[in-house]
């Protein structure tokens, strides 16, 4: 798809059509990735999106147990005082 580079104040930019914005769920912010001579524009998502549901599912299945002890046997708390 070809798009024109347009003047925006002292800068330049591109204009994305409404259908592209809707199709790729682009809201107010995008992530710009510079990669081997290419510019990739990605919708900015919430990095923790879906975590609440995933944690709830883990809890319900009993898969949310600690993998290691809170305190190691050789830990010396006197060093921290």
């Amino acid at each position: 798809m070809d798009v024109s580079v347009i003047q925006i104040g002292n800068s330049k930019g591109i204009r994305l059509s409404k259908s592209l914005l809707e199709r790729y769920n682009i809201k107010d912010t995008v992530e710009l990735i510079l990669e081997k001579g290419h510019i990739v524009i990605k919708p900015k998502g919430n990095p923790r999106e879906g975590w609440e549901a995933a944690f709830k599912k883990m809890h319900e299945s009993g898969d949310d147990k600690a993998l290691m002890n809170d305190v190691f046997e050789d830990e010396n708390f006197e060093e921290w005082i």
Side-chain angles (χ1 to χ4, degrees):
M1 170 185 292
D2 289 338
V3 294
S4 298
V5 177
I6 59 171
Q7 192 72 36
I8 303 174
N10 291 332
S11 302
K12 293 198 177 213
I14 59 171
R15 191 174 298 148
L16 302 176
S17 68
K18 181 180 178 182
S19 60
L20 275 178
L21 297 172
E22 289 173 351
R23 181 176 182 176
Y24 292 100
N25 197 29
I26 296 174
K27 303 291 184 199
D28 296 326
T29 307
V30 295
E31 183 177 357
L32 197 66
I33 303 167
L34 306 176
E35 173 179 293
K36 297 182 184 174
H38 295 83
I39 298 173
V40 178
I41 299 173
K42 287 178 52 175
K44 184 78 171 167
N46 181 353
R48 293 173 181 87
E49 190 172 337
W51 281 22
E52 185 176 350
F55 290 147
K56 184 177 181 181
K57 185 177 177 182
M58 285 176 64
H59 178 70
E60 290 169 354
S61 66
D63 195 26
D64 61 346
K65 306 293 184 240
L67 298 177
M68 50 194 310
N69 295 330
D70 291 340
V71 178
F72 298 110
E73 291 82 28
D74 63 345
E75 197 161 12
N76 181 359
F77 291 110
E78 300 301 318
E79 295 175 1
W80 297 96
I81 297 177

